[in-house]
Amino acid sequence: MNRLAGAICTIFAAASIGTWAQFETSTSRTTVQEIERYREALADGNPAELWEARGEALWKEKRGPKGATLEQCDLGRGPGVVKGAYAQLPKYFADTNKVEDLESRLVTCMVTLQGFTPEQAKKDPFGGPGKKSNIEALVAYVTAASRGAPMNVSITHPREEEAYEIGKRIFFHRGGPHDFSCASCHGLDNQRIRLQDLPNLTRTADAQRAYTSWPAYRVSQGEVRSFQWRLYDCFRQQRFPELEFTSDASVALTMFLAKNANGGVFNAPSIKR
Amino acid sequence: MRTRTVVLATLGVLVAAGCATMGMSDEEAEAKATAMMKASFKASGQATLDRIDQDDMQKMCSHYVGDKKMPKEVAERLEKQQQALIKYPAGDKYLGDWQSGEKIAQSGVGKQFSDDPKAPSGANCYACHQLTKTEVSFGTIGPSLYNFGKTRGFTPEMQKYAYSKVYNSQAFSACSNMPRFGQNGILTEQQIKDVVALLMDPKSPVNQ
């Protein structure tokens, strides 16, 4: 466990099993087969359902200074439409004049509909021991309603195109004491870090497999992890400073990765080691 | 010290700020990305915001990606720059203790905002390289280093090369994915010698 946990950039776990076939020694082939069996066993029962249920209850609960539910929140397909919304995010929203991903849009709705301050809405973005995250539960609920929907992210609005182009440069931006960029691990075909296969997120098939499998219930952490968390923890391992929740860079990078996954069938929350 | 290009980046931002987003040039998009990252991260623990700033090598290697191939003269310039920065140990002694080197090769901690800045860093060699027959959990981003010394010869020249490569991988292969462990202060001189011993000591499991 320590070895895996210590590995750098273990982003998008279990995303591209197909690449394992490239690997040659018999010892490792056995290991790969065992890992695949482990993944199959895990998929039998996914605790993410508990997060989805809690998220649905939160969505319909009157909360905040305005005592309102989130049921009129516009996630991009009109007020109250949850089904299929996540497969079209991030997108440009005229009311905020910003490109928003799911997490930033949830914050917007908690502020405008429920009357929370942005600080209150962004409190506890990620769950931990003894600390539940409402955002992660809401993310589980909303994303589950896109199961089976093909990814269809648009960059037709100039702000969307700008986010995509900047997100691409963030993906390739090398920095920090280790000179790492996202591309150090995720710009190569058929590579592994330790035994973890690495999707090449600049290629359609790999990007589709990876992006459509987040959020995920992480067995090793006992939490459902959102895409914002995925980026946050990858940058930590990249030796960068701390990524701010729903920051412009996080949304731009998400735009780049989500757009690259267009056409892939969304299938999350999933379950990963 | 690394050559900072903050001034250039800042100029780029000022230029880019006045331009429309459609049809952004690479330089504009890169400057906008850097500025956006500066506003989107916060300093945390030992990870300060200047980690987003890029030296010449980082900047060039972020620019020439995908279909944009780095011109040969740029690669040679970068390699020369980095070669000049290598500091060799006194007395041409490159070999430390391979057992300590193996521990360093296994450890992936160090320099993350979640790490104790006072604890020694690892090199996490196994994340990307095969090294021994006993460790099956190894990555494939870098080449296999199994039998590194045995196949290349246990010569002082090869010891020096191994030291240089771990110290500053960019000096030999511009835009290598491998960290510059000495140049960027990830490993101490003694730690690099220990890793060199793991590669070059005839008794090391790498050479069995």
Side-chain angles (χ1 to χ4, degrees):
Chain A
M1 197 56 244
N2 274 340
R3 285 173 188 173
L4 281 171
I8 41 177
C9 290
T10 51
I11 190 173
F12 302 116
S16 55
I17 288 163
T19 59
W20 289 97
Q22 299 290 322
F23 191 58
E24 284 162 12
T25 75
S26 58
T27 318
S28 292
R29 193 176 297 130
T30 313
T31 312
V32 169
Q33 284 165 353
E34 288 303 315
I35 289 173
E36 282 188 37
R37 276 180 49 194
Y38 170 69
R39 286 171 183 159
E40 280 167 22
L42 282 182
D44 271 355
N46 187 346
E49 287 171 12
L50 301 174
W51 272 254
E52 292 167 29
R54 190 162 73 83
E56 183 173 10
L58 279 166
W59 184 263
K60 295 173 177 170
E61 187 187 328
K62 290 179 178 157
R63 299 172 66 232
K66 292 187 183 173
T69 74
L70 288 172
E71 287 167 301
Q72 286 305 303
C73 179
D74 183 354
L75 297 170
R77 304 195 69 200
V81 181
V82 180
K83 196 171 172 57
Y86 187 67
Q88 299 183 8
L89 291 173
K91 76 188 296 290
Y92 171 77
F93 288 88
D95 58 357
T96 53
N97 192 28
K98 284 182 78 168
V99 174
E100 294 178 291
D101 65 348
L102 173 59
E103 288 90 327
S104 38
R105 193 61 190 169
L106 286 171
V107 168
T108 294
C109 286
M110 288 165 78
V111 170
T112 56
L113 298 176
Q114 298 183 312
F116 288 111
T117 65
E119 293 70 33
Q120 288 169 333
K122 289 184 199 175
K123 192 172 163 283
D124 297 331
F126 313 129
K131 188 180 69 178
K132 281 187 176 174
S133 164
N134 286 342
I135 292 267
E136 275 178 333
L138 286 164
V139 163
Y141 166 62
V142 172
T143 56
S146 279
R147 239 184 251 284
M151 289 298 301
N152 184 19
V153 174
S154 157
I155 54 165
T156 49
H157 191 280
R159 298 291 297 274
E160 293 169 343
E161 190 193 356
E162 180 186 39
Y164 178 86
E165 290 298 328
I166 293 175
K168 186 199 287 182
R169 272 56 176 213
I170 294 172
F171 182 84
F172 288 109
H173 183 103
R174 296 185 71 163
H178 285 56
D179 300 326
F180 288 152
S181 68
C182 306
S184 302
C185 292
H186 295 294
L188 313 156
D189 290 330
N190 303 320
Q191 300 295 349
R192 308 184 325 232
I193 196 153
R194 289 285 186 163
L195 290 177
Q196 179 67 59
D197 47 325
L198 297 166
N200 180 348
L201 299 175
T202 66
R203 297 221 188 267
T204 304
D206 277 16
Q208 288 174 339
R209 267 196 300 270
Y211 192 83
T212 59
S213 71
W214 285 94
Y217 176 80
R218 292 296 298 269
V219 176
S220 54
Q221 303 179 16
E223 293 284 348
V224 167
R225 293 309 190 189
S226 59
F227 202 71
Q228 279 278 333
W229 177 88
R230 180 58 283 172
L231 297 182
Y232 171 90
D233 204 55
C234 197
F235 277 119
R236 180 183 65 84
Q237 295 172 91
Q238 210 173 307
R239 273 72 180 179
F240 275 42
E242 204 170 334
L243 182 66
E244 300 250 35
F245 185 63
T246 66
S247 57
D248 289 347
S250 71
V251 175
L253 182 54
T254 301
M255 177 57 108
F256 175 66
L257 299 171
K259 168 72 169 55
N260 290 351
N262 267 359
V265 176
F266 189 74
N267 189 24
S270 69
I271 184 163
K272 297 172 191 285
R273 63 161 177 80
Chain B
M1 285 302 290
R2 291 150 58 174
T3 318
R4 298 285 181 192
T5 48
V6 187
V7 177
L8 278 175
T10 311
L11 276 173
V13 172
L14 291 174
V15 172
C19 301
T21 60
M22 305 291 274
M24 263 189 298
S25 72
D26 283 333
E27 287 74 12
E28 284 168 340
E30 285 159 14
K32 282 192 175 196
T34 303
M36 188 184 278
M37 291 174 86
K38 282 277 193 150
S40 296
F41 286 81
K42 61 179 177 193
S44 177
Q46 60 183 306
T48 46
L49 271 183
D50 60 1
R51 289 189 178 187
I52 290 165
D53 298 331
Q54 296 174 304
D55 68 8
D56 201 20
M57 170 261 145
Q58 290 170 332
K59 201 170 176 59
M60 289 296 117
C61 297
S62 305
H63 178 79
Y64 291 105
V65 292
D67 296 334
K68 272 180 295 175
K69 295 280 168 258
M70 178 176 275
K72 200 161 157 261
E73 60 271 19
V74 176
E76 283 170 358
R77 169 169 65 82
L78 289 175
E79 286 167 9
K80 269 207 188 100
Q81 272 177 11
Q82 298 297 320
Q83 273 166 30
L85 296 170
I86 299 177
K87 290 196 185 75
Y88 292 98
D92 290 336
K93 299 261 185 280
Y94 302 106
L95 282 201
D97 166 27
W98 71 260
Q99 281 155 318
S100 166
E102 165 69 12
K103 288 193 189 102
I104 294 163
Q106 289 282 6
S107 167
V109 301
K111 302 286 183 195
Q112 299 168 124
F113 62 71
S114 52
D115 289 326
D116 175 1
K118 290 187 213 79
S121 295
N124 215 8
C125 310
Y126 283 104
C128 299
H129 297 282
Q130 181 185 33
L131 286 151
T132 61
K133 281 293 175 192
T134 44
E135 179 53 88
V136 297
S137 176
F138 60 85
T140 56
I141 294 175
S144 171
L145 302 176
Y146 180 63
N147 277 352
F148 183 90
K150 202 172 173 180
T151 51
R152 289 166 178 79
F154 299 109
T155 62
E157 292 75 25
M158 194 48 67
Q159 290 179 5
K160 185 176 182 181
Y161 170 74
Y163 186 94
S164 314
K165 183 83 181 175
V166 176
Y167 189 96
N168 191 336
S169 56
Q170 304 292 338
F172 305 92
S173 173
C175 304
S176 162
N177 281 317
M178 182 168 146
R180 294 171 285 180
F181 289 102
Q183 176 61 33
N184 285 353
I186 302 164
L187 299 181
T188 64
E189 183 181 291
Q190 184 57 48
Q191 283 182 305
I192 297 175
K193 287 180 176 180
D194 292 343
V195 171
V196 171
L198 181 67
L199 295 169
M200 289 298 297
D201 192 319
K203 295 189 292 294
S204 158
V206 167
N207 296 313
Q208 302 311 307

